[in-house]
Amino acid sequence: TFNRASDTNSQTAKNGRGYLKYEHFPSKKWYLETNASAENERFKDLDRRTYFGAGSGYQIYETPDLNLSIEGGLDYVNEDYELKADKGYPSARWAIKYDQLLFSGLTVFHQQEGLVSIESAQDMLVRTKTGLRFPLSKQLVGATQLNVDWDRSPAPGKTSTDKTLLFNMGYRW
């Protein structure tokens, strides 16, 4: 995803993020996963943050109306900044994914991913996506969601929390 925004000819957002994940299911509920991510955030002094790792997950529920899974594993995080000192560290990773059909196609969802350094709890990142998905037609789906990114130790003078409210539309196969 890439985000560029401006207000009265002044740029207010310039960031991007890519994420890859592979899951392998040796059993019906348990799975092994690998993940990798790369991002930048101009207004957070972040030239590039990459992380990659592996872990396992468990699907607690997997039905047409309710899905809930949890994951845990180890990742390595590397952060390159414009002004703040660059750093890299091993981290513990957790993730939660939940969605539930409420009524008439209205679905509530929540996804959370967190990374905390094994060396210092000051290095902690948490990302959440929470929202509602609703049918617009047989194939078109609308959604509204709130994304929150939190960094326990942002660059000096930068905020620890970013919030983005999204309204989007998609096509269901």
Side-chain angles (χ1 to χ4, degrees):
T1 58
F2 293 97
N3 182 22
R4 305 291 185 262
S6 60
D7 183 20
T8 318
N9 297 327
S10 177
Q11 193 168 44
T12 58
K14 185 175 182 184
N15 58 58
R17 181 170 189 244
Y19 187 82
L20 295 170
K21 185 173 176 184
Y22 175 76
E23 297 173 349
H24 172 73
F25 285 80
S27 72
K28 185 173 178 158
K29 297 265 187 184
W30 285 98
Y31 60 93
L32 303 173
E33 65 86 22
T34 58
N35 64 80
S37 179
E39 67 183 290
N40 68 350
E41 171 66 70
R42 177 180 169 208
F43 292 101
K44 292 263 186 197
D45 185 39
L46 184 64
D47 267 346
R48 181 178 46 255
R49 176 184 292 129
T50 56
Y51 62 87
F52 60 91
S56 65
Y58 185 75
Q59 288 188 321
I60 299 167
Y61 297 104
E62 186 182 21
T63 70
D65 295 343
L66 175 63
N67 295 290
L68 176 63
S69 63
I70 56 173
E71 295 176 4
L74 295 174
D75 276 47
Y76 187 80
V77 178
N78 186 62
E79 298 174 327
D80 298 323
Y81 292 92
E82 286 279 335
L83 303 173
K84 183 180 172 182
D86 298 345
K87 61 183 167 181
Y89 51 89
S91 65
R93 177 184 169 274
W94 74 89
I96 299 166
K97 189 172 182 182
Y98 162 79
D99 64 79
Q100 184 169 8
L101 179 65
L102 300 176
F103 56 86
S104 301
L106 182 67
T107 302
V108 63
F109 63 89
H110 177 76
Q111 296 175 14
Q112 179 182 39
E113 179 182 47
L115 296 157
V116 62
S117 170
I118 294 170
E119 299 167 342
S120 169
Q122 289 302 307
D123 293 318
M124 180 185 242
L125 306 166
V126 179
R127 288 192 166 86
T128 65
K129 297 178 181 179
T130 305
L132 293 171
R133 214 174 289 119
F134 44 89
L136 297 172
S137 71
K138 188 172 181 177
Q139 272 81 34
L140 288 178
V141 178
T144 182
Q145 73 185 54
L146 177 64
N147 294 355
V148 178
D149 293 347
W150 179 75
D151 184 344
R152 175 176 269 170
S153 57
K158 307 299 179 183
T159 62
S160 61
T161 305
D162 273 342
K163 298 175 193 166
T164 305
L165 182 61
L166 299 172
F167 301 96
N168 50 47
M169 191 169 54
Y171 188 83
R172 186 178 8 206
W173 302 100

